[in-house]
């Protein structure tokens, strides 16, 4: 028991730069208190004291703002940062070294008995306000961004953002070491506030814009070749398009102008 407690305290220092002393962590961190209370209530649940286990979990929720069903299973070095509003369902399974931020829900999508809550692998980070719903598997090392709603399985090492959750990054064997080094250096953005985080929708539209530019260039080349060979007709030359890119809303970068297009100066 004391070894588990020592691990839980040390993992707080590893993941929260605001932690100063072991005494402070032990006495003022609601995430640690919720985990400690859950270990007791889970033991009571497993030996058949269901009501007492539920009562103890309700007491823990009253003092910490974190609701963990006593039937939920959690691994070692599990850290809940801030914690207010975290809800973990009965059949949820959490692997070793996982981190949850405030407002996270590991919930179910069915009223049927049986497995109905998610399973988190090792070293999974779930950002603030994210909802992971249903009996799905979240692979080892996955990252779920702030306020994402995840209803499908996530492969190991992937990063998921948006509603519904979309994979924006998936590490392979060649990139795994580099990604691990970068993650340790800059950390995980639990609030989804990174300015250069890739937007999957904007990325898809940017690829379409690139393709349109290539098609326009080929049409111009074909028209020129026909005219040089004496084949004339009503070939209206397309206006030359300047390179353009879709920027996420709120970005203060200037948008490139299209040649010949009317510019709204309002």
């Amino acid at each position: 028991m004391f070894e588990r407690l020592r691990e839980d305290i040390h993992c707080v220092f590893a993941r929260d730069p605001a932690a100063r002393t072991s005494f402070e962590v032990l006495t003022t961190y609601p995430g640690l208190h919720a985990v400690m209370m859950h270990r007791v209530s889970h033991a009571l649940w497993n030996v058949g004291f269901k009501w007492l286990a539920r009562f103890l979990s309700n007491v823990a929720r009253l003092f910490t703002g974190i609701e963990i069903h006593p039937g939920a299973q959690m691994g070692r070095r599990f850290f809940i940062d801030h914690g207010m509003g975290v809800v973990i369902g009965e059949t949820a399974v959490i692997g070793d070294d996982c981190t949850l931020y405030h407002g996270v829900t590991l919930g179910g999508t069915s009223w049927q008995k049986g497995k109905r809550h998610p399973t988190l692998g090792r070293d999974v980070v779930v950002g603030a306000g994210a909802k992971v719903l249903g009996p799905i598997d979240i692979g080892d090392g996955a990252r779920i961004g702030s306020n994402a709603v995840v209803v499908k399985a996530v492969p190991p090492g992937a990063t998921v953002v948006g509603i519904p959750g979309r994979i924006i990054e998936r590490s392979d064997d060649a990139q795994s070491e580099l990604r691990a080094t970068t993650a340790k250096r800059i950390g995980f953005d639990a609030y989804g506030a990174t300015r250069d985080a890739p937007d999957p929708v904007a990325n898809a539209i940017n690829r379409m814009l690139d393709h349109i530019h290539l098609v326009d260039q080929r049409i111009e080349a074909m028209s020129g070749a026909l005219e040089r060979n004496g084949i004339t007709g009503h070939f209206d030359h397309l206006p030359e398009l300047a390179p353009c890119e879709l920027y996420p809303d709120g970005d203060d970068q200037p948008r490139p102008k299209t040649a010949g297009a009317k510019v709204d100066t309002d």
Side-chain angles (χ1 to χ4, degrees):
M1 181 180 69
F2 291 106
E3 179 63 27
R4 282 287 187 95
L5 180 59
R6 187 178 298 108
E7 282 186 348
D8 292 337
I9 293 175
H10 287 169
C11 82
V12 173
F13 284 102
R15 303 177 211 173
D16 185 3
R20 297 184 299 174
T21 66
S22 297
F23 180 76
E24 180 184 62
V25 170
L26 187 61
T27 55
T28 65
Y29 273 63
L32 177 62
H33 300 159
V35 170
M36 292 168 58
M37 295 285 279
H38 173 74
R39 298 198 192 283
V40 177
S41 64
H42 184 66
L44 293 172
W45 182 269
N46 287 338
V47 297
F49 293 102
K50 308 291 187 182
W51 179 89
L52 184 58
R54 289 300 301 269
F55 179 78
L56 188 60
S57 69
N58 281 334
V59 171
R61 181 181 65 173
L62 177 65
F63 284 100
T64 65
I66 300 169
E67 180 175 343
I68 308 176
H69 193 285
Q73 303 176 43
M74 63 177 60
R76 304 172 76 98
R77 298 172 297 280
F78 174 46
F79 177 46
I80 303 176
D81 196 3
H82 300 295
M84 180 61 69
V86 168
V87 177
I88 301 176
E90 176 187 6
T91 61
V93 179
I94 301 172
D96 296 340
D97 301 300
C98 289
T99 303
L100 268 59
Y101 287 81
H102 54 279
V104 168
T105 298
L106 304 183
T109 57
S110 171
W111 289 349
Q112 304 297 323
K113 292 186 179 295
K115 177 64 173 172
R116 58 191 186 278
H117 298 94
T119 297
L120 275 57
R122 297 173 57 92
D123 192 31
V124 173
V125 179
V126 185
K131 315 300 177 188
V132 185
L133 307 175
I136 59 176
D137 292 331
I138 309 299
D140 295 347
R143 301 293 187 262
I144 298 175
S146 175
N147 294 318
V149 177
V150 182
V151 294
K152 295 182 179 180
V154 177
T159 297
V160 179
V161 299
I163 304 174
R166 299 182 180 90
I167 297 174
I168 62 169
E169 179 182 357
R170 185 174 180 177
S171 61
D172 53 29
D173 293 339
Q175 296 175 329
S176 58
E177 184 175 353
L178 176 61
R179 180 166 185 247
T181 302
T182 304
K184 289 181 179 179
R185 179 170 56 85
I186 66 174
F188 172 67
D189 180 21
Y191 301 96
T194 301
R195 291 179 59 85
D196 58 353
D199 182 341
V201 176
N203 183 61
I205 295 177
N206 287 334
R207 290 178 180 272
M208 293 175 61
L209 291 172
D210 293 341
H211 181 73
I212 290 172
H213 282 288
L214 291 175
V215 171
D216 288 343
Q217 292 173 5
R218 291 188 178 185
I219 291 176
E220 286 290 340
M222 292 171 60
S223 299
L226 290 173
E227 291 179 349
R228 287 192 297 272
N229 285 276
I231 303 175
T232 60
H234 298 288
F235 297 117
D236 294 329
H237 289 277
L238 296 173
E240 184 177 350
L241 298 177
C244 59
E245 182 178 356
L246 179 68
Y247 293 101
D249 290 338
D251 199 325
D252 55 5
Q253 298 186 54
R255 298 174 182 269
K257 301 180 181 64
T258 301
K262 181 181 179 181
V263 180
D264 188 0
T265 59
D266 292 340

